[in-house]
């Protein structure tokens, strides 16, 4: 028994968390990797994992017999670059590299911390629960949620004593990052040389998550909305990359519960958390409904025809009873 | 009583002259003789009484054992229980003393009652006496049950064992606290530490009956962690509750609610295992039917045994694991008539199917699948396909290639760790034949040490994820692995040791079969 993905086959398999809020994957760690593959025009399929919300190796990308895990060597994107599988930065000149590296460091640290704080501490549990724990039984999801909040507080150094101070610090850094990025972007399509880089993947993932997944009451979202060019940049690339359509996923190969998550999302996005109405998923649902109804009609019609044929061939049930009575009378005689 | 005349009739009466004195003397002498003779007669009677008494009792016992002596139980009196509730003891024996109409039936019922009360394991001794009933009610008896409660309610034991499902040996210890609340309840805490750093801790309670439920009930909380990194690249941690709902000699029904987590700290797992990592809930009802008519479960020489285990998972919420699992195990033993030899044969089979729409395309959870291999005894273990001597634990069957690490991309070198993960099978079949015999030396025979020769075979197949369409019975039979060997079995007080030399007759690529000597330790009970 061997893996169907044999060595030498450069089709990539991305395993990420499930889509939600109109995004191909709702996890802020998985979305940049997805966007990186999209920007690189890579040939890849997506599978969804909903049973391991507290893992740090997801997202991961399988290529041939190897795999790039998120908890190794700086993450999936760095590993893909190191292995020369996909390197968006390869075509950029050496002059842009220092600027690129420092921008990436700012996005990977300040904005990453801001997302962590906003998602797990600031806005309450619904968004995080919908992304990570909705497919697990409630007690387990709840325990893992509390554990994750504890881990995030420990990572960010947030305590009861310094909570407000830390919040101000995190938002201040995020604002500074937004301003710097807004200045850097200007009217360009991409941040560097009008070509996509890993910085675009990282920031686009951040921006789309903040704009679509976080509620309107989110301070981080309000801060981002102040920078029109960043918002336009995100929406433009979202349309350009056709992120509105649900990602094609391979047939689920893991546990049975993935069957409900790896196909096109059938659940409605959670209400009240900034989910924007999305016309294309509704159209697909309507087509599916039509198909289902058509098949149901065919089935019912077939059953009705079968019953009618049976009745016409076998006769009315009452006739057989009369025949039996006649038979009894005959026997008695 | 005695009918003989005390005065001999052949003696002449004495003369008058002498009669007076002589008569007096004679009469006195006669009286003395009479007294002496009477005393002698009484002594003879006393000597004859014990003999007659013994005879009388023997005839009574003969009558009691052979002839139906009608009797009725008037009352059951319980003595000696200071902590144990009367209701618990009465519930164990109430049905036994209603039906007997004869002494023989009553004695049989008393022995059953004695066994049942001892089985509760909360008494040091149990004695049942049949006493005479009230004088105004002839033909009745009172049953007096006298129990001595355990003087020390806390007991413990320690042992070293190897289990079929474990990777290696484990040190197990348990503490039991008996009769804490007087309901014959047994509270136990157990721990097992494996050589491979696996750990199991559990605590539970067992009661013989609870309110209107007449069968034993048990509840257990456990925490178990097992390391399968070497064979399947994952570590397993289970935390949960187990409830025994029905437990009789043949039937066992239990409910299991477990939170299972699979992790891979090495990050070297194959794609199949990688997709199984994470959290799962197992909410399963398990029914086991077992019948064992063998004369011994350690060295059976005659009889048969059958067990069937059915498990349905996915009972709570729609987000847990959903599958149906079935196992069968059939054994037979027959004596061969020489060297105290016996032939044991066995056939086991098991299958697991996911539940849900398009179930043929769904996958099953790796820990719930079947694995073959290991050193556990072919004859003693009864409970589905698991053991195949000569092969390592989880050493054969469907497998997937592990991760390849690209160390130096320029030179193109790469490292592949230990090649393959065994992912288990959805269908498993094993069979064996074992001949046990006494060894020539008397010292071995006296110690119970005996030899055996065996041949066994088994195979696994994947049916999930659409593979059922590719399944072929002919290919399944052709790909059976097999092994043969001989060995010596040493039953000791603390554990049962098997030392076997195995020779693998047939194995396939990636199987971990190895010729050589293997050791197995199991419980002596």
């Amino acid at each position: 028994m061997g893996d169907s993905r044999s060595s030498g086959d450069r089709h990539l398999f991305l395993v990420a968390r499930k889509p939600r809020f109109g995004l191909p994957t709702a996890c802020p760690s998985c979305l940049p990797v997805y966007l990186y593959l999209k920007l690189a025009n890579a040939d890849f399929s997506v599978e969804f994992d909903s049973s391991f919300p507290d893992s740090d190796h997801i997202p991961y990308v399988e290529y041939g017999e190897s795999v790039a895990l998120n908890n190794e060597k700086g993450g999936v994107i760095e590993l893909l670059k190191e292995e020369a599988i996909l390197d968006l930065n390869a075509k950029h000149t050496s002059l842009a590299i220092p600027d690129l590296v420092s921008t990436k460091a700012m996005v990977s640290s300040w904005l990453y911390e801001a997302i962590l704080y906003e998602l797990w501490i600031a806005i309450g549990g619904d968004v995080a629960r919908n992304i990570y724990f909705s497919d697990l039984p409630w007690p387990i999801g709840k325990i893992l949620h509390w554990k994750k909040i504890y881990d995030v507080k420990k990572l960010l150094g947030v305590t009861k004593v310094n909570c407000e101070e830390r919040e101000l610090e995190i938002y201040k850094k995020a604002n500074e990052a937004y301003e710097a990025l807004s200045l850097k972007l200007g009217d360009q399509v991409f941040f560097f040389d009008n070509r996509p880089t890993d910085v675009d993947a990282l920031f686009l993932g951040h921006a789309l998550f903040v704009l679509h997944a976080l509620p309107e009451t989110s301070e981080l979202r309000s801060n981002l909305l102040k920078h029109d060019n960043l918002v336009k940049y995100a929406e433009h690339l979202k349309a350009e990359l056709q992120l509105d359509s649900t990602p094609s996923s391979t047939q689920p190969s893991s546990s049975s519960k993935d069957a409900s998550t790896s196909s096109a999302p059938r659940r409605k996005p959670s209400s009240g958390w900034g989910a924007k109405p999305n016309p294309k998923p509704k159209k697909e649902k309507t087509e599916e409904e039509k198909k289902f109804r058509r098949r149901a009609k065919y089935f019912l019609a077939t059953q009705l025809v079968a019953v009618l044929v049976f009745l016409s061939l076998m006769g009315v049930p009452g006739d057989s009873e009369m025949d039996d009575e006649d038979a009894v009378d005959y026997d008695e005689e | 009583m005695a009918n003989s005349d005390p005065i001999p009739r052949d003696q002449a009466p004495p003369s008058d002259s002498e009669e007076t004195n002589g008569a007096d003397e004679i009469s006195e002498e006669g009286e003395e003789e009479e007294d002496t003779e009477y005393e002698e007669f009484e002594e003879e009677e006393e000597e004859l009484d014990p003999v007659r008494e013994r005879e009388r009792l023997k005839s009574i016992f003969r009558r009691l054992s052979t002839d139906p002596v009608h009797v009725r139980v008037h009352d059951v009196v319980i003595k000696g229980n200071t902590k144990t509730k009367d209701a618990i003891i009465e519930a164990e024996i109430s049905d036994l003393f209603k039906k007997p109409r004869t002494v023989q039936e009553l004695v049989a019922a008393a022995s059953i009652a004695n066994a049942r009360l001892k089985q509760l394991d909360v008494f040091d001794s149990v004695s049942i006496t049949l006493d005479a009933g009230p004088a105004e009610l002839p033909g009745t008896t009172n049953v007096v049950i006298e129990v001595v409660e355990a003087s020390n309610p806390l007991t413990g034991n320690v042992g070293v064992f190897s289990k079929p499902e474990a990777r290696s040996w484990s040190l197990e210890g348990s503490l039991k606290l008996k009769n804490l609340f007087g309901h014959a309840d047994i509270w136990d805490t157990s721990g097992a530490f494996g050589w491979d750093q696996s750990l199991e801790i559990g605590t539970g309670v067992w009661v013989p009956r609870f309110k209107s439920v007449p069968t034993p009930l048990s509840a257990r909380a456990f925490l178990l962690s097992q390391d399968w990194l070497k064979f399947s690249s994952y570590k397993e941690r289970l935390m949960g509750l187990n409830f025994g709902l029905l437990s009789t000699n043949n039937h066992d029904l239990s409910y299991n609610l477990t939170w299972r987590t699979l992790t891979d700290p090495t990050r070297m797992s194959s794609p199949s295992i990688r997709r199984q990592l994470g959290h799962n809930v197992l909410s399963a009802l398990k029914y086991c039917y077992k019948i064992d008519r063998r004369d011994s479960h350690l060295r059976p020489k005659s009889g048969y045994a059958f067990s069937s285990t059915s498990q349905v998972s996915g009972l709570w919420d729609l987000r847990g694991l959903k599958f149906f699992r079935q196992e069968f195990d059939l054994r037979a033993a027959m004596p061969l008539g020489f060297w105290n030899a016996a032939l044991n044969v066995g056939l086991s089979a098991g299958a697991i199917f996911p539940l849900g729409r398009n179930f043929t395309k769904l996958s099953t959870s790796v820990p719930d699948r079947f694995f073959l291999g290991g050193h556990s005894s072919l004859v003693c273990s009864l409970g589905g396909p698991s053991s195949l001597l000569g092969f390592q634990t989880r050493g054969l069957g469907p497998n997937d290639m592990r991760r390849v690490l690209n160390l130096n991309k320029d030179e193109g070198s790469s490292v592949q760790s230990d090649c393959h993960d065994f992912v288990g099978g959805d269908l498993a079949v094993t069979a064996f034949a074992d001949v046990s015999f006494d060894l020539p030396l008397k010292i071995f025979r006296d110690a119970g040490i005996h030899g055996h020769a065996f041949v066994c075979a088994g195979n696994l197949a994947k049916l999930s994820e659409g593979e059922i369409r590719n399944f072929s019975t002919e290919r399944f039979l052709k790909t059976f692995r097999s092994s043969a060997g001989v060995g010596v079995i040493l039953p000791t007080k603390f554990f049962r040791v098997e030392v076997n030399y195995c020779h693998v007759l047939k194995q396939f690529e990636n199987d971990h079969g190895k010729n050589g000597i293997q050791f197995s330790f199991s419980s002596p009970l």
Side-chain angles (χ1 to χ4, degrees):
Chain A
M1 177 177 148
D3 196 344
S4 61
R5 306 168 194 100
S6 55
S7 59
D9 180 9
R10 279 304 190 203
H11 184 80
L12 306 177
F13 290 87
L14 168 66
V15 176
R17 301 219 163 85
K18 61 180 186 178
R20 207 158 182 100
F21 310 118
L23 297 172
T25 167
C27 167
S29 300
C30 304
L31 191 54
V33 176
Y34 180 89
L35 294 168
Y36 186 86
L37 296 175
K38 269 285 195 181
L39 287 169
N41 291 320
D43 177 23
F44 73 100
S45 307
V46 185
E47 289 180 18
F48 299 109
D49 183 295
S50 54
S51 65
F52 212 169
D54 54 332
S55 72
D56 52 0
H57 72 276
I58 293 174
Y60 60 88
V61 172
E62 290 175 345
Y63 49 100
E65 292 164 357
S66 302
V67 61
L69 302 174
N70 198 49
N71 56 353
E72 286 181 335
K73 295 183 182 176
V76 178
I77 295 174
E78 294 303 316
L79 264 171
L80 291 176
K81 281 160 47 180
E82 192 179 311
E83 297 294 323
I85 306 294
L86 283 173
D87 189 356
L88 279 179
N89 299 353
K91 293 178 184 173
H92 287 268
T93 62
S94 58
L95 292 173
I97 298 298
D99 197 11
L100 198 149
V101 170
S102 57
T103 309
K104 188 167 71 177
M106 182 178 62
V107 173
S108 302
S109 56
W110 290 0
L111 294 184
Y112 175 69
E113 283 184 2
I115 281 271
L116 275 185
Y117 182 84
E118 199 73 359
L119 179 62
W120 294 104
I121 300 174
I123 63 170
D126 279 354
V127 176
R129 188 175 53 79
N130 285 327
I131 296 170
Y132 296 100
F133 309 115
S134 58
D135 285 331
L136 290 175
W138 177 84
I140 295 175
K142 202 69 185 170
I143 292 169
L144 293 175
H145 195 173
W146 287 334
K147 185 173 172 292
K148 183 66 179 179
I149 291 172
Y150 173 81
D151 290 341
V152 168
K153 283 183 177 175
K154 205 170 168 186
L155 180 72
L156 298 178
V158 174
T159 62
K160 283 182 187 174
V161 175
N162 70 355
C163 180
E164 287 179 9
E165 185 187 324
R166 202 62 194 101
E167 183 179 288
L168 286 171
E169 188 183 334
I170 288 170
Y171 285 143
K172 179 172 170 283
K173 283 184 180 173
N175 283 336
E176 285 176 7
Y178 288 152
E179 281 173 16
L181 288 167
S182 179
L183 281 172
K184 176 69 190 167
L185 181 68
D187 294 327
Q188 297 180 96
V189 178
F190 297 105
F191 281 100
F192 294 94
D193 299 337
N194 268 324
R195 282 203 203 101
T197 60
D198 50 359
V199 173
D200 292 288
L202 290 171
F203 179 72
L204 183 60
H206 170 93
L208 288 175
F209 181 83
V210 169
L211 292 171
H212 293 274
L214 294 183
E216 289 173 2
T217 52
S218 161
E219 187 164 337
L220 194 66
R221 187 171 184 270
S222 311
N223 290 339
L224 181 60
L225 286 171
K226 291 174 189 171
H227 303 276
D228 290 337
N229 64 336
L230 294 178
V231 175
K232 281 180 191 169
Y233 159 85
E235 295 301 330
H236 167 74
L237 282 176
K238 184 175 178 230
E240 190 79 14
L241 296 173
Q242 296 177 345
L243 297 180
D244 290 338
S245 59
T246 51
S248 59
S249 63
T250 58
Q251 204 166 14
S253 59
S254 54
S255 59
S256 56
K257 58 183 178 297
D258 279 348
S260 65
T261 56
S262 58
S263 55
R266 293 189 181 126
R267 296 182 189 172
K268 292 179 185 175
S270 62
S271 58
W273 292 113
K276 293 186 177 177
N278 201 332
K280 284 192 180 176
K282 279 186 183 174
K283 277 184 188 173
E284 286 177 3
K285 278 191 183 176
T286 309
E287 282 176 8
E288 280 179 10
E289 278 181 8
K290 279 185 184 171
K291 209 187 265 184
F292 176 75
R293 282 184 186 175
R294 194 167 50 235
R295 285 179 182 171
K297 281 180 194 170
Y298 288 152
F299 176 75
L300 287 173
T302 312
Q303 295 302 306
L304 186 63
V305 166
V307 169
L308 289 172
V309 166
F310 174 79
L311 288 174
S312 61
L313 286 176
M314 303 304 292
V316 179
D319 294 336
S320 62
E321 288 173 11
M322 287 177 65
D323 291 338
D324 289 337
E325 286 174 6
D326 290 341
V328 169
D329 294 338
Y330 181 78
D331 288 338
E332 284 177 354
E333 288 172 5
Chain B
M1 298 290 282
N3 292 321
S4 57
D5 191 345
I7 303 171
R9 290 177 187 168
D10 55 351
Q11 275 189 349
S15 62
D16 290 343
S17 59
E18 298 173 347
E19 280 179 2
T20 309
N21 295 331
D24 292 340
E25 289 178 357
I26 291 169
S27 64
E28 284 177 3
E29 285 176 357
E31 283 175 1
E32 283 176 3
E33 284 175 356
E34 283 177 2
D35 288 340
T36 307
E37 287 167 352
Y38 186 73
E39 284 171 3
E40 285 176 358
F41 172 71
E42 279 187 340
E43 282 173 5
E44 284 174 3
E45 274 195 339
E46 283 172 5
E47 284 171 4
L48 288 169
D49 281 346
V51 174
R52 287 200 189 105
E53 190 66 24
R54 237 180 280 125
E55 285 298 323
R56 192 173 69 88
L57 286 172
K58 276 184 186 172
S59 71
I60 289 173
F61 284 131
R62 253 197 311 274
R63 195 179 153 221
L64 286 174
S65 60
T66 54
D67 301 339
V69 177
H70 294 283
V71 74
R72 189 171 56 83
V73 175
H74 170 71
D75 192 14
V76 176
V77 178
I78 300 171
K79 293 180 182 175
N81 54 322
T82 51
K83 196 197 286 185
T84 314
K85 305 276 186 288
D86 280 352
I88 299 295
I89 299 175
E90 284 166 8
E92 288 294 316
I93 51 102
S94 60
D95 58 318
L96 291 171
F97 293 115
K98 285 179 187 169
K99 291 178 187 174
R101 290 279 173 259
T102 65
V103 172
Q104 294 92 328
E105 289 173 4
L106 192 58
V107 168
S111 65
I112 295 173
N114 194 312
R116 280 190 190 175
L117 291 173
K118 280 184 179 164
Q119 222 171 15
L120 292 177
D121 203 22
V122 295
F123 303 120
D124 279 344
S125 71
V126 177
S127 67
I128 300 179
T129 313
L130 304 178
D131 201 1
E136 59 272 19
L137 296 172
T140 61
T141 181
N142 284 345
V143 178
V144 179
I145 300 175
E146 190 155 358
V147 297
V148 176
E149 288 171 337
S151 54
N152 184 11
L154 191 66
T155 58
N157 62 4
V158 179
V160 176
F161 306 106
S162 66
K163 292 179 184 173
E165 60 274 11
R167 186 185 149 187
S168 70
W169 310 339
S170 64
L171 174 68
E172 298 180 15
S174 68
L175 279 176
K176 280 186 188 176
L177 184 61
K178 299 178 185 178
N179 215 4
L180 185 65
F181 296 107
H183 290 276
D185 45 302
I186 297 179
W187 300 79
D188 80 286
T189 298
S190 63
F193 182 75
W195 187 255
D196 58 344
Q197 296 178 355
S198 63
L199 177 71
E200 181 179 0
I201 299 170
T203 184
V205 61
W206 178 91
V207 290
R209 56 190 64 241
F210 184 72
K211 292 190 179 176
S212 58
V213 180
T215 56
L217 296 175
S218 64
R220 187 165 193 80
F222 61 91
L223 169 67
L224 167 66
S225 83
Q226 286 201 94
D227 183 348
W228 299 108
L229 287 171
K230 186 179 171 187
F231 307 105
S232 303
S233 293
Y234 71 88
K235 284 181 98 165
E236 184 180 14
R237 192 190 71 224
L238 299 104
M239 199 185 311
L241 301 169
N242 180 281
F243 299 97
L245 304 173
L246 173 75
S247 180
T248 65
N249 286 338
N250 299 121
H251 305 276
D252 195 277
L253 181 67
S254 63
Y255 172 72
N256 202 317
L257 182 64
T258 306
W259 173 6
R260 179 196 290 157
T261 305
L262 304 183
T263 57
D264 174 25
T266 64
R267 299 187 291 229
M268 295 302 296
S269 55
S270 57
S272 303
I273 297 294
R274 204 179 296 130
R275 276 159 180 72
Q276 298 261 344
L277 300 178
H279 303 275
N280 278 308
V281 164
L282 186 71
S283 168
L285 202 61
K286 189 173 178 182
Y287 168 69
C288 181
Y289 172 74
K290 200 178 272 194
I291 180 167
D292 195 340
R293 295 276 184 262
R294 297 176 296 179
D295 56 347
S296 162
H297 71 274
L298 289 178
R299 190 184 172 185
K301 292 173 199 164
S302 66
Y304 66 92
F306 173 75
S307 85
S308 164
T309 305
S310 308
Q311 189 176 11
V312 176
S313 176
L315 299 175
W316 175 59
D317 205 286
L318 298 174
R319 296 169 190 170
L321 293 170
K322 291 186 284 185
F323 62 83
F324 174 72
R325 194 174 192 265
Q326 178 65 49
E327 291 176 14
F328 292 109
D329 203 334
L330 180 63
R331 306 288 173 94
M334 56 213 85
L336 295 177
F338 59 91
W339 295 350
N340 202 19
L343 171 67
N344 276 270
V345 294
L347 179 65
S348 309
I352 179 171
F353 297 101
L355 296 176
R357 255 193 293 177
N358 296 326
F359 70 94
T360 53
K361 295 177 186 172
L362 298 176
S363 176
T364 48
S365 175
V366 167
D368 297 310
R369 293 179 190 164
F370 295 93
F371 293 89
L372 296 183
H375 310 156
S376 61
S377 170
L378 294 171
V379 172
C380 297
S381 58
L382 178 71
S386 64
S387 179
L388 196 62
L389 297 178
F391 290 84
Q392 214 173 33
T393 303
R394 294 193 173 195
L396 63 111
N399 56 81
D400 197 3
M401 205 183 311
R402 283 182 184 167
R403 182 184 178 188
V404 173
L405 285 175
N406 294 324
L407 288 180
N408 193 332
K409 61 184 170 84
D410 293 330
E411 291 176 12
S413 62
S414 64
V415 166
Q416 190 146 33
S417 67
D418 214 7
C419 293
H420 293 86
D421 287 333
F422 288 98
V423 297
D426 301 305
L427 173 69
V429 177
T430 60
F432 77 89
D434 178 288
V435 174
S436 65
F437 48 86
D438 278 347
L439 295 173
L441 292 178
K442 188 176 181 302
I443 189 172
F444 289 150
R445 288 198 298 271
D446 292 342
I449 298 172
H450 57 277
H452 73 138
F454 59 87
V455 60
C456 52
N459 201 3
L460 292 168
K462 182 177 178 182
L463 300 177
S464 54
E465 296 179 35
E467 288 290 328
I468 194 170
R469 287 185 204 134
N470 302 330
F471 177 76
S472 154
T473 311
E474 191 185 337
R475 196 178 64 197
F476 184 71
L477 291 172
K478 275 185 184 172
T479 53
F480 253 78
R481 283 75 163 171
S482 58
S483 66
V486 292
V488 175
I489 295 161
L490 299 90
T492 69
K493 194 177 175 184
F494 298 105
F495 38 72
R496 182 178 175 278
V497 183
E498 262 192 49
V499 183
N500 297 319
Y501 175 79
C502 300
H503 177 76
V504 176
L505 299 172
K506 191 176 180 186
Q507 63 176 322
F508 288 86
E509 192 186 359
N510 302 326
D511 289 349
H512 289 178
K514 193 178 174 185
N515 298 336
I517 294 180
Q518 295 174 347
F519 289 84
S520 165
F521 291 77
S522 55
S523 168
L525 300 172

